[in-house]
Amino acid sequence: MRDYTYLNGARFTINNLFRSLRFDIDRLDMSWVDGEKPEFCRGLRVVDNDAGNTVTVDGEDADNLIFSLTYIFSKEDAHEAFRNATDAYLTVALETKEFLVSNQKKNPEAKPEVSEAVLH
């Protein structure tokens, strides 16, 4: 597998941060020479291998994604429990575009809904 990709004609280096059975989260970093800094130069890419869906996030959404992964990791005792919790979180995050885990809440029918943040 190559360690780079192209977005809008610019070459990005890929660094895999997380891999589960379903999802990959990669950090995308770009180096540019000459000219102006492009609009998107650093962010995260979430690849849903089951659905064949890829989402690129930057800024606040990328910060919320990293925070949420760290938060989930600190709450789970076993590696498999962390992977299962992360897969559940990412499934909802990609559907609702809400990347802060504390804003996610599931109703009894397992449909995602947004609630107030519990972490500050």
Side-chain angles (χ1 to χ4, degrees):
M1 187 169 124
R2 65 184 185 186
D3 62 348
Y4 63 89
T5 191
Y6 288 93
L7 294 174
N8 299 330
R11 184 174 167 159
F12 287 81
T13 310
I14 300 172
N15 296 299
N16 186 262
L17 300 177
F18 173 79
R19 177 170 286 150
S20 72
L21 296 174
R22 180 173 177 177
F23 294 100
D24 285 311
I25 298 176
D26 303 317
R27 190 181 80 219
L28 302 175
D29 294 318
M30 186 182 90
S31 297
W32 68 93
V33 181
D34 298 330
E36 295 182 22
K37 177 181 172 183
E39 195 172 306
F40 178 88
C41 64
R42 182 170 289 117
L44 300 172
R45 176 177 72 176
V46 181
V47 180
D48 184 344
N49 295 310
D50 287 356
N53 184 24
T54 300
V55 175
T56 305
V57 296
D58 64 342
E60 187 176 349
D61 285 340
D63 292 344
N64 289 341
L65 176 60
I66 289 297
F67 170 81
S68 297
L69 290 175
T70 305
Y71 178 77
I72 292 168
F73 182 77
S74 71
K75 294 295 181 186
E76 299 299 333
D77 293 332
H79 179 69
E80 194 61 35
F82 167 66
R83 288 174 53 166
N84 291 335
T86 303
D87 280 358
Y89 152 72
L90 287 171
T91 301
V92 174
L94 293 178
E95 186 177 319
T96 63
K97 304 297 185 219
E98 179 57 64
F99 291 97
L100 188 59
V101 70
S102 60
N103 286 353
Q104 290 184 2
K105 183 179 179 183
K106 287 188 178 181
N107 66 18
E109 293 149 4
K111 293 182 182 174
E113 56 184 42
V114 179
S115 66
E116 287 187 15
V118 295
L119 299 176
H120 299 282

